[in-house]
Amino acid sequence: HRAWHRDVPTIINFISDKVDPPLTHELERIFTAGIPRYCNAEASEENFQAYYQYGNHSSFDEDPDKSYAALAKDHHKGYAICFDERLVPFVLNGHLTPQGMADLNKVFKNPRSVFDSSFRVHAWCMAINDWTSKFTEPPVKCALGELPLMQWIWNLCITYPCLEIHLMDDDVSGAFCHMKYAPLLIAMHICQQFGFGVIYTGGTFSDNTTLPNWDVIVQV
């Protein structure tokens, strides 16, 4: 769950003469201290109770079998820790986040759980994305590669006008989940599912600080 199997010194030593020092420093921080780079959080018991009483979004209960399968997959791969739901109120500095499900009825896509880090039960509530900011994290540069890619595809079609061109791309299973949250912030990523309290130890797709940190790995 904490990715302690990684040999971080060996990884950093291997890339140190190939990657810019600031990027190397950020990668070492991600692999040792965890993500995000900065978090300033303070929450009340009223805030916790609001989320505790709300539960999950209605989409989570539309197809319980698929929702349970998504949870089982995350637990099996080491992305989430399940424990007795009755312990949730006693987790120190715990924060609950509602869960939803996307792509439940898509034929060619597997259902995907949604960790809704921006959702506020009431206007006065504080969510994870209220305590963190993408502006305190590394800059996102991967988006700058879209235009050059489109230009390359356009020129490819001009160079080979009579050939059928098939574009392929790589895929990282679990993607953001391979980055681990800083130990002090893991309790901020709790949810409730099927009688379990669930702590997500790897980056969720809805946190506003996840993509900036993932971009470091992409660049390396």
Side-chain angles (χ1 to χ4, degrees):
H1 286 288
R2 298 295 305 130
W4 286 343
H5 60 281
R6 292 187 184 131
D7 187 349
V8 178
T10 299
I11 295 173
I12 299 303
N13 183 63
F14 179 76
I15 69 170
S16 59
D17 60 342
K18 306 176 182 67
V19 179
D20 292 338
L23 202 59
T24 303
H25 177 73
E26 288 291 355
L27 183 67
E28 186 174 16
R29 185 263 307 168
I30 291 170
F31 281 171
T32 55
I35 61 171
R37 179 200 280 175
Y38 178 81
C39 177
N40 184 17
E42 181 179 353
S44 63
E45 177 65 18
E46 289 77 13
N47 193 72
F48 176 85
Q49 288 296 330
Y51 285 94
Y52 187 71
Q53 299 299 325
Y54 177 84
N56 293 317
H57 297 318
S58 58
S59 61
F60 187 81
D61 298 320
E62 288 182 13
D63 194 327
D65 290 339
K66 292 181 180 179
S67 298
Y68 186 83
L71 170 62
K73 179 181 177 181
D74 287 342
H75 178 71
H76 175 72
K77 290 192 172 185
Y79 302 153
I81 300 174
C82 296
F83 60 97
D84 193 314
E85 188 178 42
R86 291 172 293 182
L87 295 175
V88 169
F90 302 99
V91 177
L92 183 64
N93 299 324
H95 173 74
L96 289 169
T97 298
Q99 302 298 290
M101 289 295 293
D103 302 325
L104 280 172
N105 300 313
K106 298 291 182 63
V107 177
F108 301 107
K109 295 186 68 175
N110 293 325
R112 178 172 57 87
S113 59
V114 177
F115 191 91
D116 198 350
S117 303
S118 298
F119 179 77
R120 299 174 183 171
V121 180
H122 306 292
W124 53 265
C125 286
M126 297 289 287
I128 292 175
N129 287 347
D130 295 316
W131 293 315
T132 56
S133 170
K134 62 182 180 181
F135 299 109
T136 59
E137 305 301 308
V140 177
K141 297 182 179 180
C142 60
L144 301 176
E146 182 178 6
L147 183 57
L149 174 62
M150 296 303 176
Q151 292 172 339
W152 177 75
I153 295 173
W154 177 264
N155 291 328
L156 199 63
C157 294
I158 295 174
T159 306
Y160 304 100
C162 299
L163 294 180
E164 185 175 356
I165 299 173
H166 298 273
L167 296 177
M168 301 295 292
D169 197 3
D170 295 327
D171 178 50
V172 180
S173 177
F176 298 161
C177 298
H178 294 288
M179 300 183 300
K180 302 302 181 179
Y181 286 115
L184 290 175
L185 301 183
I186 290 179
M188 195 168 71
H189 293 82
I190 303 176
C191 61
Q192 299 178 98
Q193 303 182 43
F194 303 103
F196 295 104
V198 182
I199 298 180
Y200 281 89
T201 57
T204 63
F205 282 75
S206 297
D207 276 23
N208 56 8
T209 59
T210 306
L211 179 59
N213 286 277
W214 176 249
D215 193 76
V216 173
I217 297 177
V218 172
Q219 292 184 63
V220 172

